[in-house]
Amino acid sequence: MAEETNKQESQESNAPEVQEVAGMATDSQPEPVKQQQDPEQFLKEFNWHNYEEGIDPIDDQKLEEFEKLVEENFVDTLNDEVVTGTVINITDRDAIIDINAKSEGVISLNEFRYNPDLKEGDAVEVLIDVREDATGQLILSHRKARVIKAWERVNKAHDEGLIVNGFVKCRTKGGMIVDVFGIEAFLPGSQIDVKPIRDYDAYVGKTMEFKVVKINHEFKNVVVSHKALIEADIEEQKKEIIGQLEKGQVLEGTVKNITSYGVFVDLGGVDGLVHITDLSWSRINHPNEIVELDQKLNVVILDFDEAKTRIQLGLKQLSQHPWEALDNELKVGDKVKGKVVVIADYGAFIEVAEGVEGLIHVSEMSWSTHLRSAQDFVNVGDEVEAQILTLDREDRKMSLGIKQLTPDPWTDITSKYPVGSRHSGIVRNFTNFGVFVELEEGIDGLIYISDLSWTKKIKHPSEFTNVGDTLEVVVLELDVEGRKLSLGHKQIESNPWDKYEDEFAVGTTHTAEISEIVDKGATIDFNEDITAFVPQRHLEKEDGNKLKKGESAEFQIIEFNKEFKRVVASHAAVHREEEQKIVKQAAKKAAAQNSSNTTIGDVNADLQALKDKMEGK
């Protein structure tokens, strides 16, 4: 109301001047046009109807001055032009904006949600949205004007490399969304800072400075970077630091990143790597056992490449080597205690002091000559006691032994395991030539495959026994110096072939059945121990046919070899022996007849008759 009263007073104070200009057409003599103090008042009181109807003609000079006045004080409201207006009133829903047009414009307050402090008198950028709505009202858009101006500013910032302020709205996949001049720009995670970001949410809601690094006009995408602002300064620091680097130099740095293989340390713009083996003299499983993120620590420069872009740092080198602090009184033969830190197939590493390790080879873990894996004896973390076997302070090497803490079982081997003594043992391992049997811890013996059975032909020990089985054995040989024990299993019983040698002597006859037909003959089983071979020609029967599988017949032993367990039999030899007996009997008869004047022809006739009889004629 106050503003309307002031406006009315202004109109009344200027009324004579306006009337004077408006009534110029009625005066017979032209009067000079007075400078208008209020162009808006002039337009409101001007008689447009008379002017359009030609009732009040106006002098050309006055029209030119009027047009000049309008040009200087009123905007040309083009649709695509952004102009600056002034907030003259704010209602519950709208803001009334004066842009020096014929009428004020209206903008919904929703377009000013980003600016809750909007008040009368504020200058705002607007765009003509609708020249006249149904009520003749001028509709403006502040949002569209902001977008147009924002893109102009963004393009200018990109082209000229200007620094802009942006508000971090939220986190998204791979980075952040930033409001820059009202445009949502993308801030990649890699462009937030020069060091890795662990907490993206800490940046949400902050206003930060950025550089526009990329614009995609086709998709209206904007990419900004905060990292680019500080890289230039860091690059200068980096050059200065790199130029001063020297091997052995000690610098302070900050732990920037921790990986499984080492730690990256920021030296003030330059990163160096402390490998996991250079963190501590002791073995560690992961660097986070020694350091933590953002920790400040001193490191020494161990090496770098020619360009000084890869810097190798060390942390443990700043402390004395543990071997130098090792007790000088420690010597070979002393007992030490330590913790198992690493296990390999060939042995275990024992930390006897911080950073000082000794190796216990698997052969030094047990007196057993049958080697096993180190995992069979110790586990990582076990506390063990061992004896120092070798100690080289110069090369910083130490070998240890566990078995030396117990008596050597071979010391009294001759009294415990004399030749010929019988014992029980456990099958520990196979080879192609025999079986290793453990009689006690540290005492292993070998049973050759030929000493497993008197009668069975064994191609591999697994056909006879299994690992873990218990076998009865007899000590056959003992080599104390070579720590070798030769055992036998078949020797626990007498050799059955000794009695078979008489029972199946060459020339003896036995009845058996053909078990199998093979390439060059057949096999027959006389008992569970003796399997004999019958050659092809010895399978012939008396009638000229050959024996078949399953047929039973008499067989004569024609070969018996106890050493090689070989027995050969013949069926043909049986009936041929009968033939030879008949021949001998005929010969004796012929001799007797000859003595009683029997002719040779008669004898031959008798032999021929016998032959025909045998051949079945």
Side-chain angles (χ1 to χ4, degrees):
M1 293 295 296
E3 186 175 337
E4 292 179 359
T5 303
N6 294 336
K7 196 170 185 179
Q8 185 175 358
E9 292 175 355
S10 175
Q11 291 175 352
E12 292 175 355
S13 63
N14 294 326
E17 294 179 344
V18 175
Q19 291 176 357
E20 183 179 358
V21 175
M24 285 187 296
T26 60
D27 296 337
S28 57
Q29 294 181 357
E31 295 181 3
V33 178
K34 296 181 181 180
Q35 179 66 31
Q36 300 301 314
Q37 299 297 324
D38 188 352
E40 184 177 355
Q41 185 70 23
F42 171 82
L43 289 175
K44 285 185 177 181
E45 296 181 358
F46 187 77
N47 194 334
W48 292 99
H49 176 73
N50 291 343
Y51 172 71
E52 291 175 355
E53 294 295 330
I55 299 174
D56 296 328
I58 298 179
D59 183 72
D60 291 341
Q61 180 180 357
K62 293 180 179 180
L63 285 177
E64 290 178 2
E65 291 179 3
F66 171 71
E67 290 175 358
K68 183 178 179 183
L69 182 65
V70 171
E71 182 179 353
E72 291 176 354
N73 291 277
F74 295 94
V75 298
D76 184 10
T77 55
L78 299 177
N79 286 340
D80 58 351
E81 183 180 358
V82 176
V83 297
T84 301
T86 304
V87 179
I88 61 174
N89 191 21
I90 298 177
T91 68
D92 292 339
R93 299 177 58 185
D94 303 314
I96 310 302
I97 311 297
D98 180 11
I99 62 169
N100 284 342
K102 290 193 298 182
S103 62
E104 290 83 2
V106 178
I107 298 178
S108 173
L109 287 178
N110 288 334
E111 298 191 20
F112 294 98
R113 282 183 298 180
Y114 76 95
N115 184 11
D117 299 327
L118 183 70
K119 60 184 182 299
E120 294 180 7
D122 286 352
V124 294
E125 294 174 335
V126 296
L127 184 74
I128 305 298
D129 203 3
V130 179
R131 285 183 176 274
E132 290 184 359
D133 63 2
T135 61
Q137 183 66 56
L138 177 66
I139 305 300
L140 306 177
S141 174
H142 176 61
R143 179 181 58 82
K144 292 180 180 179
R146 285 186 71 210
V147 171
I148 293 174
K149 281 296 184 181
W151 277 103
E152 290 178 0
R153 292 168 182 166
V154 165
N155 281 297
K156 181 178 180 182
H158 177 260
D159 296 339
E160 299 180 9
L162 303 178
I163 298 175
V164 298
N165 288 327
F167 177 76
V168 181
K169 296 178 65 176
C170 62
R171 178 181 176 179
T172 187
K173 183 178 180 181
M176 317 288 288
I177 298 298
V178 179
D179 185 324
V180 179
F181 304 131
I183 295 175
E184 287 191 347
F186 178 60
L187 172 63
S190 60
Q191 296 298 313
I192 298 177
D193 205 337
V194 291
K195 57 184 178 182
I197 302 301
R198 296 184 290 276
D199 184 12
Y200 284 78
D201 294 331
Y203 291 86
V204 177
K206 289 186 176 182
T207 299
M208 302 169 60
E209 291 184 335
F210 302 98
K211 286 189 71 173
V212 180
V213 295
K214 185 178 180 181
I215 298 178
N216 188 321
H217 293 281
E218 181 180 357
F219 298 102
K220 298 295 183 181
N221 290 336
V222 178
V223 179
V224 296
S225 170
H226 178 70
K227 176 182 176 181
L229 298 177
I230 54 180
E231 278 184 332
D233 294 337
I234 290 178
E235 193 63 32
E236 290 298 324
Q237 296 177 15
K238 188 174 181 179
K239 289 180 180 179
E240 183 178 351
I241 293 174
I242 288 178
Q244 299 174 356
L245 289 183
E246 294 180 2
K247 291 182 182 180
Q249 185 179 9
V250 178
L251 299 173
E252 184 183 45
T254 304
V255 177
K256 179 178 179 181
N257 192 20
I258 300 176
T259 68
S260 60
Y261 55 86
V263 177
F264 288 93
V265 177
D266 184 0
L267 302 175
V270 180
D271 290 346
L273 173 64
V274 183
H275 195 269
I276 187 172
T277 57
D278 291 316
L279 283 171
S280 171
W281 293 113
S282 300
R283 290 180 184 264
I284 59 174
N285 296 318
H286 196 277
N288 56 22
E289 299 176 15
I290 304 296
V291 298
E292 58 185 18
L293 288 171
D294 299 326
Q295 178 183 348
K296 292 187 179 297
L297 45 80
N298 289 329
V299 289
V300 60
I301 297 177
L302 302 180
D303 200 3
F304 46 76
D305 59 9
E306 293 183 358
K308 296 183 180 180
T309 55
R310 293 186 179 182
I311 305 172
Q312 181 182 347
L313 304 175
L315 179 64
K316 70 180 184 181
Q317 288 78 6
L318 296 177
S319 59
Q320 185 182 23
H321 197 288
W323 272 87
E324 298 175 2
L326 190 64
D327 186 1
N328 292 326
E329 301 297 324
L330 211 59
K331 62 185 182 301
V332 173
D334 288 349
K335 295 179 182 179
V336 293
K337 291 183 179 180
K339 184 173 68 173
V340 179
V341 290
V342 175
I343 292 181
D345 289 337
Y346 55 85
F349 288 92
I350 312 299
E351 188 176 51
V352 298
E354 184 178 358
V356 178
E357 296 178 1
L359 171 64
I360 303 179
H361 194 271
V362 67
S363 62
E364 303 298 339
M365 292 182 174
S366 170
W367 288 109
S368 175
T369 55
H370 171 60
L371 298 183
R372 284 172 276 173
S373 175
Q375 288 91 334
D376 297 334
F377 299 97
V378 294
N379 297 309
V380 173
D382 288 353
E383 294 285 342
V384 297
E385 185 177 22
Q387 182 177 330
I388 299 177
L389 303 181
T390 62
L391 181 61
D392 188 340
R393 294 180 181 271
E394 185 176 346
D395 290 338
R396 295 170 178 169
K397 291 182 180 180
M398 181 190 302
S399 63
L400 307 172
I402 295 178
K403 71 181 185 182
Q404 287 76 11
L405 301 179
T406 58
D408 186 353
W410 282 83
T411 303
D412 55 351
I413 189 72
T414 54
S415 60
K416 289 194 295 184
Y417 301 100
V419 174
S421 59
R422 298 179 60 168
H423 308 275
S424 292
I426 299 175
V427 176
R428 291 301 186 191
N429 195 16
F430 290 148
T431 66
N432 290 329
F433 52 84
V435 179
F436 283 99
V437 176
E438 184 181 58
L439 301 180
E440 66 172 85
E441 182 71 25
I443 303 294
D444 289 349
L446 173 64
I447 304 176
Y448 282 99
I449 195 170
S450 60
D451 288 320
L452 288 172
S453 174
W454 289 112
T455 57
K456 293 181 181 179
K457 293 182 178 179
I458 302 171
K459 295 181 179 179
H460 191 273
S462 59
E463 300 174 7
F464 184 82
T465 186
N466 299 308
V467 173
D469 288 353
T470 300
L471 286 182
E472 295 292 326
V473 296
V474 175
V475 178
L476 303 181
E477 294 180 13
L478 181 60
D479 182 358
V480 178
E481 291 184 2
R483 302 174 80 93
K484 293 181 180 180
L485 199 60
S486 179
L487 306 175
H489 173 66
K490 70 181 184 181
Q491 287 80 4
I492 63 176
E493 297 177 353
S494 60
N495 188 354
W497 284 81
D498 291 339
K499 64 177 181 178
Y500 294 149
E501 188 174 18
D502 296 330
E503 184 180 349
F504 294 92
V506 175
T508 58
T509 303
H510 307 270
T511 301
E513 184 180 293
I514 299 294
S515 301
E516 199 71 41
I517 301 295
V518 294
D519 290 342
K520 296 182 180 181
T523 59
I524 54 176
D525 294 326
F526 289 126
N527 57 37
E528 62 180 6
D529 293 330
I530 296 183
T531 298
F533 174 69
V534 182
Q536 188 78 21
R537 59 190 179 88
H538 289 276
L539 290 171
E540 186 177 340
K541 295 189 290 185
E542 191 173 359
D543 60 1
N545 295 322
K546 292 188 177 180
L547 292 171
K548 297 180 181 178
K549 182 179 179 179
E551 283 192 71
S552 182
E554 286 188 338
F555 295 90
Q556 186 180 97
I557 305 300
I558 60 177
E559 182 182 346
F560 184 91
N561 190 316
K562 181 176 72 172
E563 183 179 357
F564 296 102
K565 300 178 179 59
R566 174 180 171 85
V567 179
V568 181
S570 171
H571 172 67
V574 175
H575 58 78
R576 286 174 185 168
E577 187 176 1
E578 290 294 330
E579 179 182 343
Q580 291 175 359
K581 287 181 181 180
I582 293 173
V583 171
K584 288 180 180 180
Q585 290 176 358
K588 288 181 180 180
K589 183 179 179 181
Q593 290 178 353
N594 187 32
S595 61
S596 59
N597 298 324
T598 302
T599 64
I600 295 177
D602 295 335
V603 175
N604 289 337
D606 291 339
L607 290 174
Q608 183 62 43
L610 177 61
K611 183 177 180 182
D612 292 341
K613 180 182 178 181
M614 294 179 65
E615 293 178 353
K617 293 182 180 181

